[in-house]
Amino acid sequence: MSTPVFENHYATLPAQFYTRLNPIPVASPALIKVNDALAQQMGLSSDWLRSDDGVAMLAGNHVPEGAAPLAQVYAGHQFGGWSPRLGDGRANLLGEVRGPDGQLWDIQLKGSGPTPYSRMGDGRAWLGPVLREYIVSEAMHALGVPTTRALAAVGTGETVLREAPFPGAILTRVAPSHIRVGTFQYFAAQQDHDALEALLNFAIARHYPELDQNDALGFLSAVTAAQAKLVAQWMGLGFIHGVMNTDNTHIGGITIDYGPCAFMDAYHSAMVFSSIDQFGRYAYQAQPEILVWNLAQLASSLLPQIDPDTHTAVKAAQEVLQGFGTAYTDAWKRVFFAKIGLHDGRTEDVALVQDLLLRMAENQADFTLTFRAMATGGPARDQFVDPTRFDDWAKDWHARLDGDVQTLMQTANPAFIPRNHRIEEAIQAAVQGDFAPFERLIHVLETPYTDQPDHSDLQTAPTKQQIVRQTFCGT
Ligand code: AMP
Ligand code: MG
């Protein structure tokens, strides 16, 4: 039962990178959940995390010896509009710990109280978004998608005022770093070249150690490749991030900042869930394009690091960004060819996938259930308002199939996703003090590619009454 050993690497960066401050203590910490498997992977003792000191740390009431907590500063484009200073307005980085495999993990408390970056916010989080992020980020991990993780959730015993008073909570978010495109933008906007260089080298060491220090172009290229792959994975799962602002775009190519995100039920390419995304800027199909836009902001922040001659730097950066299209298309093909069981997909097969998606959209077919049924030999056609629209497509599809496709398809098409209506149910129960639905959802989503007949109610699509059409930031 040992206490975590903190290393404070981000805190060694120059003072303009953060504000040193402790989390603000809460009234009455109560443990909701510890992620045992993750704690073990990080070399942390679950028993200690569950101890009084552990829970006090997770609530921000006790700063362990050796930790040097801080709030990180960053900037960002929010819905295309420039915000020169955002930063951790409701989060606190306690420091990093090193896992037995040598990997460094940021330990961050989200909902830990006001900071100099809180603007109008109260620095807190309520139970709903905390459980939502816990469920969805852990599901993403189990689905094989790079993401920040959830180490723990605690209740604060305080009330948080949103549309109504709600119980307060804190999520312990962990990740290899919390560096965003917006972190680079912050220093670029200030023309602080020394800080940019320090940030670049920190980010390279943390995420792309195979690169040489100061290799800004290599870094841009690596981020572009990682993000292209990430968004292709989102597309393959019907995941809509909802707030792809540059401050929510991670330079390690991992999913970060789960707000009004959602997995689609019925497929539609223009699907939007976020209540604040009125114009569909971050709709399902818009995600790759938005990502390029965000990467262009990273590129422009890195220009002085790429080459002292602006013209040369722009040209080199443009070449990298032009590579995004191919990188994304390749990643998309890998994802979707696997989904329909093609080991040796060819360019012509893109049309086959697109034809299926079009028919799904026209027939309100459930995205996850359609592909899962195809993978398990189930009646995929039942997902279609007009099942013959699937039958017609399936003729072409069967003609293309070769050999054993079930293994490939079953590992590419999950049985379970965190469906909106189930998340909402789990949150509503938790607000009443019943965490059983939350626990069950977490448990089932640990093995999303495995059929779990006892939990088939978590697999099915929502009924008309159950459909959740909008999701909220809850901030
Ligand atoms: P997000 O929507 O989580 O990406 O947050 C955007 C910005 O708003 C970040 O700088 C957050 O730290 C800040 N923020 C969001 N919610 C709050 C809150 N309740 N209190 C203070 N700052 C917040
Ligand atoms: Mg954010």
Side-chain angles (χ1 to χ4, degrees):
M1 257 226 341
S2 49
T3 52
V5 179
F6 279 94
E7 301 178 20
N8 302 295
H9 296 277
Y10 208 83
T12 64
L13 286 166
Q16 63 267 41
F17 279 76
Y18 48 77
T19 299
R20 283 284 308 273
L21 88 166
N22 287 345
I24 311 297
V26 299
S28 179
L31 186 64
I32 295 170
K33 181 89 182 154
V34 168
N35 187 335
D36 291 301
L38 179 57
Q40 190 179 15
Q41 195 189 336
M42 294 172 65
L44 299 175
S45 156
S46 293
D47 289 341
W48 184 83
L49 290 171
R50 288 195 174 82
S51 71
D52 288 350
D53 275 358
V55 175
M57 177 189 85
L58 299 172
N61 285 20
H62 163 66
V63 175
E65 215 180 289
L70 57 85
Q72 295 176 316
V73 70
Y74 49 84
H77 280 94
Q78 302 180 300
F79 290 89
W82 172 241
S83 297
R85 200 174 87 152
L86 293 165
D88 292 335
R90 52 162 164 176
N92 204 290
L93 177 70
L94 296 180
E96 297 98 333
V97 298
R98 196 178 287 277
D101 57 357
Q103 199 203 312
L104 280 173
W105 293 87
D106 275 14
I107 300 191
Q108 194 201 62
L109 305 183
K110 191 170 173 182
S112 56
T115 76
Y117 314 114
S118 297
R119 294 173 297 160
M120 307 301 278
D122 59 3
R124 294 298 182 189
W126 75 274
L127 189 59
V130 166
L131 297 187
R132 173 174 259 280
E133 176 156 352
Y134 195 114
I135 295 164
V136 181
S137 65
E138 285 306 299
M140 286 292 257
H141 170 72
L143 287 162
V145 183
T147 176
T148 61
R149 304 285 307 273
L151 177 64
V154 294
T156 61
E158 295 179 357
T159 298
V160 171
L161 201 61
R162 294 294 181 263
E163 307 88 69
F166 289 116
I170 296 176
L171 179 79
T172 304
R173 174 164 72 174
V174 303
S177 89
H178 286 79
I179 306 173
R180 306 138 188 278
V181 167
T183 320
F184 281 85
Q185 289 182 284
Y186 177 79
F187 295 111
Q190 313 215 344
Q191 304 193 355
D192 186 342
H193 297 302
D194 292 344
L196 268 178
E197 188 179 319
L199 179 62
L200 173 65
N201 287 328
F202 188 95
I204 286 176
R206 193 60 74 86
H207 290 282
Y208 306 103
E210 67 281 6
L211 296 178
D212 291 333
Q213 291 274 286
N214 292 314
D215 182 2
L217 197 63
F219 175 72
L220 179 63
S221 209
V223 177
T224 301
Q227 281 284 351
K229 223 178 125 194
L230 176 69
V231 172
Q233 284 189 284
W234 292 357
M235 300 303 274
L237 292 165
F239 177 77
I240 302 161
H241 182 285
V243 208
M244 283 180 74
N245 294 334
T246 56
D247 53 302
N248 296 337
T249 303
H250 196 289
I251 56 89
I254 70 180
T255 316
I256 191 170
D257 279 7
Y258 293 87
C261 61
F263 287 79
M264 306 195 263
D265 298 303
Y267 173 76
H268 199 287
S269 64
M271 197 65 97
V272 176
F273 287 93
S274 168
S275 60
I276 55 172
D277 190 0
Q278 288 170 12
F279 303 106
R281 180 178 168 91
Y282 300 141
Y284 173 76
Q285 70 189 357
Q287 297 186 117
E289 249 177 84
I290 285 293
L291 181 63
V292 186
W293 194 87
N294 290 352
L295 291 168
Q297 307 314 310
L298 177 63
S300 82
S301 303
L302 285 169
L303 288 178
Q305 256 58 47
I306 291 175
D307 200 285
D309 176 63
T310 308
H311 183 72
T312 311
V314 168
K315 222 171 142 242
Q318 269 172 350
E319 259 169 46
V320 170
L321 292 179
Q322 272 156 13
F324 175 85
T326 317
Y328 173 73
T329 310
D330 286 350
W332 186 94
K333 283 193 227 162
R334 265 195 304 281
V335 167
F336 277 88
F337 287 171
K339 287 181 82 67
I340 66 166
L342 301 184
H343 292 279
D344 59 341
R346 298 185 290 260
T347 304
E348 312 87 86
D349 296 315
V350 170
L352 187 65
V353 175
Q354 276 165 348
D355 186 22
L356 173 63
L357 292 174
L358 194 68
R359 287 165 194 254
M360 284 169 68
E362 287 165 358
N363 285 272
Q364 290 133 53
D366 184 89
F367 186 77
T368 305
L369 292 178
T370 300
F371 284 108
R372 183 69 184 180
M374 285 163 56
T376 53
R381 69 193 303 276
D382 291 0
Q383 292 299 321
F384 291 67
V385 173
D386 174 3
T388 64
R389 293 289 289 154
F390 177 78
D391 298 338
D392 289 342
W393 177 83
K395 280 182 203 132
D396 293 341
W397 176 46
H398 286 138
R400 268 296 284 122
L401 292 182
D402 198 8
D404 172 33
V405 297
Q406 296 236 328
T407 314
L408 176 65
M409 289 182 72
Q410 287 184 19
T411 50
N413 295 307
F416 294 93
I417 50 161
R419 290 191 185 262
N420 290 311
H421 64 297
R422 297 305 181 193
I423 298 173
E424 293 298 327
E425 267 175 21
I427 291 170
Q428 277 169 27
V431 168
Q432 303 300 320
D434 174 13
F435 286 87
F438 166 71
E439 291 285 349
R440 181 161 80 104
L441 207 46
I442 294 283
H443 173 72
V444 168
L445 289 165
E446 277 168 8
T447 52
Y449 295 99
T450 306
D451 286 324
Q452 301 171 57
D454 292 349
H455 299 288
S456 56
D457 58 312
L458 298 184
Q459 190 171 4
T460 46
T463 61
K464 275 210 169 60
Q465 289 74 34
Q466 289 173 322
I467 292 178
V468 175
R469 294 187 196 281
Q470 255 196 346
T471 49
F472 300 87
C473 278
T475 55

